[in-house]
Amino acid sequence: MDKTAIEQLSEPQQKILSFINQYMEQNDIPPTIREIQHGAGISSTSMVSYHLKALERAQLLNRRERRSRGLIVNEPRRAHSRDIVAIPIVGVITCGAEPVPTPDPDTLAESENVIHLARSLVGNADGLYALEAKGDSMIDALINDGDIVIMQRNADVKNGDLAAVFLLDRNESTLKRVYKEGRRLKLKPENPTLKPFYVEARHAQIQGRVVCVIRRT
Amino acid sequence: MDKTAIEQLSEPQQKILSFINQYMEQNDIPPTIREIQHGAGISSTSMVSYHLKALERAQLLNRRERRSRGLIVNEPRRAHSRDIVAIPIVGVITCGAEPVPTPDPDTLAESENVIHLARSLVGNADGLYALEAKGDSMIDALINDGDIVIMQRNADVKNGDLAAVFLLDRNESTLKRVYKEGRRLKLKPENPTLKPFYVEARHAQIQGRVVCVIRRT
DNA sequence: CGTATCATAGAACAAAAGTTCAAAGCCCAT
DNA sequence: ATGGGCTTTGAACTTTTGTTCTATGATACG
């Protein structure tokens, strides 16, 4: 019979493990040996130590030797808080007669609205901010009213990137894929049934790259 | 002059604060007083204690008295790992002549591809799975090739919810907002320039609710 | 100048927390 | 039964860690 590691655990070991998890849920920090002792109903600290060593062998946890609260729980599925990035929602984007807002540090620091995303989705979080789409004017960019658009400020926009572009001659901003073609800029709508068009590069101002679009329904 | 709390911090206090953050990034647990002492270049433990008290008064952190590593950093922005949910990507969605796939537990367990999202975005994670959109057939639902569609299985779909619907009479699936109107179903495209249409409820099969759409660009 | 308030240094202390060990109990296959 | 492996016990021990205290500087202010 092929037993998995979890099945081989003795009862006190399971108790210890679940106590550790429960404790960390509540306190964010690992318990001490003596807290485990009482919490899991173990008779002595040496018994806790003994069981912890077994759990260590079973790869279920690691320990930093001689450090207080030195437990490290091995949960491969557990994502770490550093894998989440909080992105401030700094304004709305309307694809209309005004530039897309860019955050100034003040509003950024005190902004209450944030959206949490996994770093795997957005990569390096530097210069990220979020805008809420307002109105139906961007359905050609496949962006709906209420969508959250994650932007990266100061990003270098490469050919084919989706970007917010402000058109000086028309005095409006738009979300398009941009391609540099000499001194012209090709702007290609996301909607493939629409034709791309061209503007003079000096009449266009790239305001940020669109990293990601989130639609909550 | 109205100074915010952060501006009043003395230099060693800022050093301490940033060391704590850095340390917790690396180790997941708060540092001890002496670790702060060395890490932030403070001359004595009593000085650390002194500054910690000041930071406590400034509401920048809390402490559990007499507990080792008893620091609690007051960072409302910090998200916890339990706030992340891993959603398996179980297949593709093509809005064509086949039903939207629903996950069977086997493939679900072993699926390698997952997408991490903050729980704040998707709520309770039960029954969530993700599909990757293929092709341009769904631009009317404002969904692009490559978009990730987060679905909830077994969800009760309310009027106005976006859902995957399989149309028995046409033998195709589609993403629309659904409204029950008697024994008919009103299906409303996301694209407001398109008209809603109606099907007999018994000819339609609601396969899941669309919780969220993610577009990586 | 005196003094009040804040900042620093250094050290000692007390409590918490991790480690170790010898002896004893338990189980089971030989 | 008996020896060897686990498990348990109880306690002591060491190290780490939080706390406190006094003495000393620094600075501002009436």
Side-chain angles (χ1 to χ4, degrees), chain A residues 31-48:
Chain A
T32 66
I33 301 254
R34 281 170 181 81
E35 282 168 339
I36 296 174
Q37 184 195 347
H38 298 127
I42 311 291
S43 58
S44 65
T45 58
S46 57
M47 264 291 92
V48 178

Side-chain angles (χ1 to χ4, degrees), chain B residues 161-186:
Chain B
D161 280 353
L162 186 63
V165 183
F166 186 68
L167 304 174
L168 297 169
D169 47 354
R170 301 194 217 180
N171 198 41
E172 74 174 37
S173 43
T174 175
L175 292 184
K176 295 280 188 300
R177 290 199 181 272
V178 301
Y179 300 83
K180 285 170 192 152
E181 299 192 347
R183 50 177 43 174
R184 290 194 314 173
L185 227 51
K186 182 168 94 169

